[in-house]
Amino acid sequence: MKEKRTNMRKWSINGLSLLIAAGMAACATGADADLGTGPWDSNEFNSTFASTNYYEDWDLNDDNLLDQNEYNAGLYDTWDINNDNRLDETEWATASNDWGLENETWSDWDMNTDGFLDTSEFGTGFADSGWFGNWDTDRNSMLGEREYTDGVFGLWDNNA
């Protein structure tokens, strides 16, 4: 049962990545795609995004808030494309570029130099990015769903 739930969660998280990419394409091009009649604003994105289960999938303890550990775990699973529960340099390079961390270096994240990132190394590397704190607009050390969706939107809203 645990494996089935894990696979379903990973499929959901991968779906999130596709949704984000589609939203990014619509925002970047302004094209009238199947996603609507032009670029989305944060309210449109929030309405659409909130109707999915992505936030709930990351909320492992079902308290309707994301703490730093749930946030890191959700990102880690999203970046783990081949679902082997570890990140190799190729997965990391692809995701770090897709998520706007082009200035990061693999060697700064792979602290034990074993060629993979475990969850601890990932958490340390991601903590240095400051994203969780930036997304936590009410400064309560937890992310509500709107903070989460606004954070995701902000990543892809290149022209503000």
Side-chain angles (χ1 to χ4, degrees):
M1 180 70 168
K2 173 100 171 127
E3 183 176 328
K4 185 176 182 179
R5 181 179 172 158
T6 300
N7 287 337
M8 289 299 294
R9 192 175 100 204
K10 287 188 178 190
W11 277 103
S12 296
I13 291 170
N14 288 336
L16 163 66
S17 297
L18 291 174
L19 177 66
I20 291 170
M24 183 177 74
C27 289
T29 65
D32 292 339
D34 292 335
L35 301 171
T37 58
W40 290 357
D41 66 21
S42 64
N43 289 326
E44 291 169 313
F45 182 81
N46 181 62
S47 295
T48 302
F49 199 77
S51 68
T52 68
N53 287 329
Y54 300 122
Y55 179 80
E56 290 79 8
D57 289 342
W58 285 28
D59 182 18
L60 300 175
N61 64 2
D62 296 323
D63 66 351
N64 295 316
L65 294 168
L66 297 181
D67 62 27
Q68 179 82 50
N69 291 330
E70 290 170 314
Y71 177 81
N72 288 349
L75 284 168
Y76 188 86
D77 285 345
T78 300
W79 288 29
D80 182 18
I81 302 300
N82 65 6
N83 298 323
D84 66 353
N85 296 316
R86 60 186 189 171
L87 296 178
D88 61 38
E89 188 170 358
T90 301
E91 289 172 311
W92 178 86
T94 300
S96 63
N97 279 329
D98 289 347
W99 288 75
L101 297 171
E102 322 60 38
N103 296 327
E104 298 289 322
T105 60
W106 171 255
S107 60
D108 289 342
W109 288 54
D110 184 20
M111 291 175 270
N112 65 5
T113 65
D114 68 350
F116 298 98
L117 295 183
D118 60 29
T119 56
S120 176
E121 290 170 311
F122 182 83
T124 299
F126 225 92
D128 292 342
S129 75
W131 282 12
F132 185 85
N134 291 339
W135 291 19
D136 183 20
T137 56
D138 64 6
R139 304 292 179 240
N140 68 350
S141 299
M142 304 292 271
L143 296 181
E145 188 168 14
R146 183 60 193 239
E147 290 172 309
Y148 170 78
T149 59
D150 284 348
V152 172
F153 181 79
L155 289 175
W156 307 118
D157 185 19
N158 293 330
N159 66 2

